[in-house]
């Protein structure tokens, strides 16, 4: 029975979400918003992002590839940043 309790506790922790919004402007000038993103999930930034505002309660890591692996750049909670070629982020992960 204790094994089941440990498993349930582990599942609830991994399902946490950042509270707030991340907004970004694509390299084409379109505006996008991600609301209350799940921690640990890799999100695609449509068209790449040249401006990112992290108005969540969680640190975000931005990546230049589409799979949250290459050239990680950290963005603190409540912070904004501009990006320039060739280091335009195309994916992001919270937590």
């Amino acid at each position: 029975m204790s094994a089941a309790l440990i498993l349930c506790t582990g599942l609830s922790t991994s399902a946490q979400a950042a509270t707030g919004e991340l907004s970004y402007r694509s390299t084409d000038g379109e505006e996008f918003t991600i609301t209350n993103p799940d921690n640990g999930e890799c999100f695609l930034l449509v068209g790449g992002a040249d401006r990112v505002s992290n108005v969540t309660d969680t640190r975000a890591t931005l990546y230049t590839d589409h799979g949250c692996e290459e050239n990680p750049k950290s963005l603190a909670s409540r912070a904004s940043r501009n990006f320039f070629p060739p280091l335009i982020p195309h994916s992001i992960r919270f937590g």
Side-chain angles (χ1 to χ4, degrees), residues 40-81:
E41 183 176 338
C42 183
F43 293 89
L44 180 64
L45 300 175
V46 177
D50 60 13
R51 172 106 179 124
V52 179
S53 295
N54 180 13
V55 190
T56 72
D57 61 354
T58 305
R59 176 185 54 85
T61 304
L62 298 120
Y63 303 86
T64 55
D65 69 319
H66 294 95
C68 292
E69 294 181 4
E70 297 176 11
N71 301 311
K73 301 290 181 216
S74 183
L75 184 61
S77 170
R78 315 267 185 247
S80 297
R81 185 170 176 183

Side-chain angles (χ1 to χ4, degrees), residues 18 20-22 33-38:
E21 293 183 339
L22 178 118
T33 301
I34 301 170
T35 304
N36 299 330
D38 289 336

Side-chain angles (χ1 to χ4, degrees), residues 83-94:
F83 293 90
F84 303 94
L87 297 177
I88 297 290
H90 290 274
S91 58
I92 187 168
R93 179 176 285 141
F94 293 84

Side-chain angles (χ1 to χ4, degrees), residues 20-36:
E21 293 183 339
L22 178 118
S23 60
Y24 70 95
R25 182 181 63 208
S26 73
T27 57
D28 295 334
E30 292 184 70
E31 299 286 334
F32 295 91
T33 301
I34 301 170
T35 304
N36 299 330

